[in-house]
Amino acid sequence: MAFEPKRPQKTYTYDDVRLFTDEELKNYTAEEEKNFKIKHDIPLLEKLESGPWPSFVADAKRYALRRRKLGEEGKLLISPDVVEDLLGQVELSFVHGETHWKHGGIVGVIGYGGGVIGRYSDLAAKYPGVAHFHTVRVAQVPSKFYNTAFLRGLADLWEYRGSGMLNLHGSTGDIILLGTFTEQLEPLFQELTQVLDVDLGGSGSNLRTPECCLGKARCQYALYDTQEMCYEMTMHYQDELHRPAFPYKFKFKFDGCPNGCVASIARADLSFIGTWCDDIRIDQDAVQGYINGEFPPGGGSHSGKDWGKFDIYAEVIDRCPTGCMSLEGGELVIDNPNCTRCMHCINTMPRALRPGVETGVSLLFGAKAPILEGAQMSVLVIPFMKAEPPYDNVKEMINKMFEWWMDEGKNRERLGETIQRVGLQRFCDIMGLPPAPQMVKEPRTNPYIFWKEEDVPGGFERDINDYRSRHAR
Amino acid sequence: MALSKDRLGRFNPDKHMEGRVTDIGPRHYWQFFPPVIQNNYGKWAYHEILEPGVLVHVSETGDKAFTVRCGGMRFMTVDFVRELCDIADRFSDGYVRFTTRNNIEFIVDSLEKVEALKAELAKHTFAIGGSLKFPVGGTGAGVTNIVHTQGFIHCHTAAVDASSMVKALMDGLFEHFTSMDLPAQVRVSMACCLNMCGAVHCSDIALLGYHRKPPAIDHEVLHKICEIPLAIASCPTAAISPAKTEDGLKTVKLKVERCMFCGNCYTMCPALPLADGQGDCVVMMAGGKVSNRISMPTFSKVVIPYLPNNHPLFPEVVEATKQVLNAYAADARKYERIGDWAQRIGWEKFFEKCNLPFTEHLIDDYRLAYDTYRTSTQFKYTEAAWAVTRAAEGEE
């Protein structure tokens, strides 16, 4: 498997980078944990401490204890009260039913225009520990595999220079370090890049940190190398990621197959979804295995309820959205040219059916959440493209699109909205692509075609006298 | 090279470009793969879910990767991170991964290691309250972890808190996290305002914080902190126009009947806050999905226009979610997602079976609304249809 990082990768153990000793890491007893009271009353939050699901309140309270003790020893650069003050402010937010974070705050690191989101409390006098509560987005490893050396190093750094509270992960995919003061932003950045060997993610009107599914690492359906492509595109577009120059945010997401586990079709301005263009591979013996009940359908995904004996007609053949499957002489037959690769038969009989071997990606453009004028999903624009390193063909398409969007897009207009404003045909024209019925669910129902002058014999210049020579007023 | 303990670390404010490293991007993924993943990269043949939360992936080489999936809090502390690292160091060779839906996965290469890992995970509970730290589940035809946004933990536009609602909801749906007894997977998502960081608009069940009062106008500072033309242009319904206060300060005025409470103006102008504890609420949407399986990806539809923002346990939200889930579980066919089910039985039947009132708020009146109106005589009779008949005096 091709393994070519774009730069030498640092390897380190936790001992190489650590800030805290073992004693400092285990600085409280179970007894102290049980008896610990934080400095604010939080009766509403405490209602979230029971129940089976992991309790973020219990976690935060426990951590507040550790922080208070470290603070007393002068071992933290940010207020030891930050967790207690956060819980206090959230409690008051519950009472008010309103958030207590102020709007905005332009902070960041030198040379970057994104990666840090400024945040200030509107109750700074009452909760001074969260007076500043800036977020730092750190680029996640594509598909979010980690070793403990990296996570422990990050934990030490963030405990020392920040609140010690974080998200694994934020909605876009980054590691989100929640809450530090302005003074520590620059030092944090330098420790991240120079010691932990990792960069900030995107925020603002730039390329957001690209995200991919786990792909070939642990999935038989990966139709291209999602990690590799995600990594390559992330590295190639570092400038776009760190220095906002776009009309608005822009997201790449990489789904390995049409199952869409990273939801690229709903969330990404440019969605890469793996597909194939040859025949589904069939293992007829395994098909019989499913029919005979030797293998659980769906890899056992429905085993919690008795759905009866597997019925290949009811569960697969009759559920095929294109009706392109049949059983002939005991053999499963697929009319491949009429298959739309929805994955249902493959998902249901994973041992018997596998996608084809001629694989590539579909490129879909324009998804976004509702702000401003309603949600949009990505539109299929390029049905099939080979996706092999160094992905020059794909980069060429992306560059064309960026150049046009930066020129044509209005302030705070997502790509999908620009496409909606100018029309899909204009977008295809810019991209140098011919129109295709695959791009639409159905042709237009109105005939309001914006004919161009060159389309019509004689052009648009009219002579009213000529017209009147045939028609009286 | 160790992390620095100096107050400003490696940053020299007088020479801020000194030693600076930029644009290095993320870590490369390969070194973070456990050996069984490295050795079988791209060679996986098939997988099976052995029990809720435990998967086996079988390689063409014959190797097997066993995954134990645990529900996770996306908001956590470094203490929690270290605890999961301790488990990973002892049981999965120091490797751990996170899923798109904030689950935590430990990958090992034998069934014996799975059993040891599961036994260990079950021991980890919080000293306060006793919640599990690593509940195993979230696979197959069940409810997996709820993706969500920041809420009151960090966001300035939140209409409702997120972490608390998700905790309360996952407690309520826990039996579906640890089992696989639904017709198909149910993806629940939560966003604390219409910005929908994380895009919950294509989920089987989506819960959305929503403002219901127009912005309050802070006339005193608006002219100082806002670009007035930008604030005006930000409004998709042209409800905002320029104005002057009695004291002659430049400001804006609102046509409140045009406001759809999207909050875009507040994003552009901090002097136009929408948050209001009395007015803010939760909207439930249902029937969306991103997968292409059988049917095409679809948007979620609004099915409950208002649920109270009852922090921190949100009993009405939990009840309503169970109501929809139970109706779906009882009636849908195998492999049918909530949206597929609603589509097959008809949305009128969806409201009847879920016992949800259909109110005027559920009929679209924004752009392209007409596309959602029914232009056919094909409908099914439910009580709602007879209410129309009676109102029209169409029967005795």
Side-chain angles (χ1 to χ4, degrees):
Chain A
M1 210 43 61
F3 168 62
E4 287 169 13
K6 303 292 275 191
R7 57 185 176 83
Q9 295 283 301
K10 277 188 189 168
T11 51
Y12 48 82
T13 65
Y14 174 52
D15 282 336
D16 295 338
V17 297
R18 67 189 297 169
L19 283 171
F20 295 105
T21 63
D22 284 341
E23 294 69 42
E24 286 167 335
L25 290 178
K26 301 266 179 257
N27 73 343
Y28 59 87
T29 63
E31 198 56 28
E32 284 176 296
E33 188 183 350
K34 271 187 187 149
N35 299 324
F36 178 62
K37 295 269 179 294
I38 74 158
K39 67 180 189 177
H40 306 292
D41 283 332
I42 52 166
L44 292 174
L45 274 163
E46 281 167 350
K47 289 185 181 181
L48 297 165
E49 286 173 351
S50 53
W53 193 252
S55 167
F56 67 96
V57 180
D59 178 35
K61 269 171 75 170
R62 161 179 84 153
Y63 180 59
L65 164 65
R66 159 174 178 69
R67 225 175 144 86
R68 189 185 286 179
K69 296 188 85 171
L70 280 174
E72 282 163 4
E73 295 160 24
K75 286 175 179 159
L76 297 170
L77 296 179
I78 293 295
S79 167
D81 294 345
V82 56
V83 182
E84 295 177 64
D85 281 351
L86 177 74
L87 292 174
Q89 178 172 316
V90 170
E91 177 78 10
L92 192 57
S93 302
F94 285 179
V95 174
H96 293 162
E98 292 165 5
T99 183
H100 279 289
W101 298 109
K102 283 190 190 182
H103 187 300
I106 297 176
V107 290
V109 300
I110 297 159
Y112 281 11
V116 181
I117 294 105
R119 190 66 75 223
Y120 299 92
S121 169
D122 67 14
L123 295 166
K126 199 172 163 79
Y127 305 111
V130 293
H132 297 201
F133 201 65
H134 308 319
T135 294
V136 180
R137 290 189 182 164
V138 177
Q140 81 282 12
V141 177
S143 72
K144 307 188 185 84
F145 282 83
Y146 296 101
N147 62 26
T148 57
F150 177 81
L151 290 177
R152 287 181 196 275
L154 191 69
D156 276 21
L157 173 63
W158 184 236
E159 176 154 61
Y160 192 54
R161 295 185 189 275
S163 72
M165 295 179 282
L166 69 161
N167 291 146
L168 287 168
H169 294 75
S171 299
T172 297
D174 306 270
I175 298 169
I176 310 271
L177 305 179
L178 286 163
T180 191
F181 276 61
T182 307
E183 180 205 62
Q184 285 303 325
L185 293 174
E186 197 60 48
L188 251 172
F189 173 65
Q190 305 235 354
E191 295 298 299
L192 284 168
T193 53
Q194 293 181 42
V195 183
L196 299 184
D197 200 29
V198 65
D199 209 335
L200 299 190
S203 70
S205 292
N206 62 14
L207 178 66
R208 298 302 180 85
T209 314
E211 195 181 15
C212 61
C213 72
L214 89 175
K216 291 180 187 269
R218 202 202 57 202
C219 184
Q220 68 271 26
Y221 302 144
L223 296 161
Y224 66 101
D225 194 330
T226 56
Q227 274 104 348
E228 184 179 59
M229 190 169 183
C230 181
Y231 177 76
E232 172 61 32
M233 292 301 169
T234 309
M235 295 307 292
H236 187 76
Y237 291 104
Q238 281 289 294
D239 192 28
E240 286 78 1
L241 202 155
H242 293 305
R243 295 167 195 88
F246 291 154
Y248 202 11
K249 67 182 87 164
F250 197 94
K251 299 182 180 181
F252 290 151
K253 291 193 195 293
F254 300 86
D255 273 312
C257 83
N259 282 328
C261 290
V262 293
S264 70
I265 202 164
R267 308 195 292 164
D269 300 85
L270 174 44
S271 320
F272 297 89
I273 303 180
T275 195
W276 67 95
C277 61
D278 55 347
D279 294 351
I280 291 176
R281 287 172 284 167
I282 308 177
D283 177 342
Q284 296 291 356
D285 291 340
V287 172
Q288 289 309 317
Y290 280 102
I291 293 172
N292 299 335
E294 291 161 31
F295 311 128
S301 60
H302 287 69
S303 62
K305 181 176 167 181
D306 182 8
W307 291 94
K309 189 175 177 298
F310 176 74
D311 176 344
I312 195 167
Y313 282 102
E315 299 193 34
V316 180
I317 293 173
D318 296 344
R319 302 304 302 271
C320 171
T322 61
C324 70
M325 306 183 88
S326 55
L327 212 50
E328 288 170 25
E331 296 229 317
L332 187 68
V333 178
I334 300 176
D335 174 13
N336 280 285
N338 282 310
C339 167
T340 51
R341 301 168 310 286
C342 85
M343 297 291 294
H344 175 65
C345 58
I346 297 172
N347 288 334
T348 308
M349 303 195 293
R351 290 201 196 199
L353 301 178
R354 302 181 72 182
V357 292
E358 282 290 315
T359 61
V361 290
S362 297
L363 269 60
L364 299 88
F365 294 80
K368 57 181 275 294
I371 289 285
L372 190 56
E373 294 222 32
Q376 291 179 187
M377 275 188 260
S378 283
V379 176
L380 178 68
V381 173
I382 304 180
F384 183 90
M385 238 177 143
K386 278 275 171 205
E388 308 287 347
Y391 309 100
D392 286 341
N393 54 346
V394 179
K395 287 175 189 162
E396 205 173 304
M397 280 290 148
I398 294 171
N399 295 343
K400 239 188 258 185
M401 178 266 300
F402 277 158
E403 198 178 328
W404 171 76
W405 183 53
M406 284 196 279
D407 199 35
E408 187 77 25
K410 293 181 180 174
N411 183 33
R412 278 173 63 76
E413 188 177 61
R414 295 282 289 268
L415 176 75
E417 292 166 315
T418 315
I419 294 174
Q420 190 187 62
R421 181 162 56 77
V422 305
L424 181 59
Q425 47 278 77
R426 169 96 181 112
F427 182 65
C428 290
D429 196 31
I430 297 297
M431 301 291 283
L433 303 167
Q438 284 81 358
M439 297 171 182
V440 296
K441 285 182 187 142
E442 57 187 22
R444 67 197 302 161
T445 55
N446 65 67
Y448 300 139
I449 299 161
F450 288 95
W451 290 107
K452 295 191 201 78
E453 186 162 13
E454 60 267 29
D455 293 332
V456 189
F460 282 176
E461 281 297 315
R462 309 284 306 275
D463 180 352
I464 189 65
N465 293 326
D466 173 55
Y467 180 80
R468 286 292 165 223
S469 70
R470 300 187 298 277
H471 305 279
R473 262 196 194 108
Chain B
M1 185 167 28
L3 289 162
S4 169
K5 285 203 166 181
D6 294 343
R7 177 149 204 106
L8 293 183
R10 287 166 172 79
F11 177 56
N12 177 353
D14 299 324
K15 291 182 181 169
H16 61 246
M17 295 310 285
E18 201 176 64
R20 198 174 188 79
V21 173
T22 66
D23 299 280
I24 58 170
R27 304 299 309 273
H28 193 277
Y29 44 89
W30 191 260
Q31 63 182 295
F32 298 107
F33 291 155
V36 66
I37 297 296
Q38 283 194 357
N39 295 338
N40 296 285
Y41 196 79
K43 297 177 192 160
W44 300 105
Y46 65 91
H47 78 275
E48 239 166 67
I49 306 170
L50 300 175
E51 59 183 272
V54 181
L55 302 107
V56 58
H57 284 78
V58 181
S59 167
E60 287 163 357
T61 66
D63 285 358
K64 291 180 178 178
F66 296 87
T67 302
V68 178
R69 180 178 294 170
C70 308
M73 307 168 289
R74 94 166 202 167
F75 170 74
M76 64 180 82
T77 69
V78 293
D79 243 15
F80 190 81
V81 172
R82 291 182 183 124
E83 190 168 341
L84 73 88
C85 285
D86 289 343
I87 297 172
D89 279 339
R90 285 176 56 205
F91 294 89
S92 57
D93 301 323
Y95 298 96
V96 61
R97 90 168 277 266
F98 296 83
T99 72
T100 307
R101 302 192 75 86
N102 307 110
N103 290 310
I104 301 164
E105 290 185 341
F106 299 95
I107 299 174
V108 295
D109 55 14
S110 78
L111 207 48
E112 296 75 60
K113 290 182 183 174
V114 169
E115 292 309 320
L117 185 53
K118 274 168 50 192
E120 176 68 18
L121 293 169
K123 287 186 208 157
H124 289 251
T125 56
F126 283 104
I128 313 165
S131 295
L132 297 165
K133 288 175 179 168
F134 303 100
V136 176
T139 48
V143 173
T144 186
N145 202 354
I146 299 173
V147 292
H148 66 96
T149 55
Q150 298 288 14
F152 294 166
I153 298 279
H154 196 262
C155 186
H156 68 296
T157 67
V160 67
D161 186 43
S163 309
S164 54
M165 192 196 294
V166 166
K167 159 70 176 150
L169 201 47
M170 283 311 294
D171 279 340
L173 304 180
F174 193 68
E175 58 174 312
H176 296 295
F177 178 81
T178 54
S179 64
M180 304 188 289
D181 55 1
L182 296 174
Q185 72 259 48
V186 175
R187 298 281 185 252
V188 185
S189 309
M190 193 274 148
C192 52
C193 87
L194 190 63
N195 278 311
M196 283 194 194
C197 307
V200 308
H201 55 276
C202 295
S203 308
D204 294 282
I205 295 177
L207 297 154
L208 173 68
Y210 210 80
H211 302 296
R212 292 191 305 159
K213 291 189 187 182
I217 307 174
D218 195 346
H219 294 295
E220 232 171 85
V221 296
L222 191 140
H223 67 287
K224 285 189 253 178
I225 60 174
C226 302
E227 291 262 11
I228 291 178
L230 271 183
I232 292 169
S234 74
C235 181
T237 62
I240 304 175
S241 54
K244 275 200 175 163
T245 66
E246 284 179 9
D247 307 333
L249 297 176
K250 282 187 180 172
T251 187
V252 297
K253 62 179 188 298
L254 284 175
K255 277 198 174 125
V256 293
E257 69 278 11
R258 284 195 185 174
C259 183
M260 60 180 189
F261 319 100
C262 71
N264 200 45
C265 55
Y266 182 58
T267 297
M268 301 310 286
C269 171
L272 294 170
L274 280 89
D276 184 288
Q278 274 189 319
D280 295 347
C281 72
V282 181
V283 177
M284 183 192 281
M285 303 173 77
K289 70 181 187 99
V290 295
S291 156
N292 287 277
R293 186 172 184 175
I294 302 181
S295 57
M296 289 190 191
T298 46
F299 289 123
S300 317
K301 285 89 177 158
V302 179
V303 295
I304 304 179
Y306 167 88
L307 288 163
N309 55 348
N310 203 347
H311 298 93
L313 296 177
F314 299 92
E316 298 85 357
V317 171
V318 176
E319 264 326 293
T321 306
K322 283 186 181 172
Q323 208 172 308
V324 172
L325 208 57
N326 291 340
Y328 161 72
D331 196 60
R333 294 177 184 164
K334 195 176 178 186
Y335 306 117
E336 244 173 12
R337 299 283 290 262
I338 289 182
D340 297 328
W341 168 61
Q343 198 65 41
R344 176 174 61 80
I345 64 173
W347 281 95
E348 60 269 52
K349 281 284 178 192
F350 171 90
F351 283 93
E352 185 184 63
K353 285 181 188 289
C354 294
N355 195 23
L356 297 175
F358 190 87
T359 69
E360 64 179 58
H361 312 96
L362 303 178
I363 298 179
D364 196 357
D365 53 3
Y366 196 53
R367 295 181 316 111
L368 308 178
Y370 210 96
D371 291 354
T372 64
Y373 300 165
R374 190 171 305 196
T375 51
S376 162
T377 56
Q378 294 190 17
F379 66 90
K380 292 181 182 176
Y381 291 103
T382 65
E383 181 47 36
W386 293 118
V388 178
T389 300
R390 282 193 297 276
E393 298 185 12
E395 64 166 11
E396 288 164 31

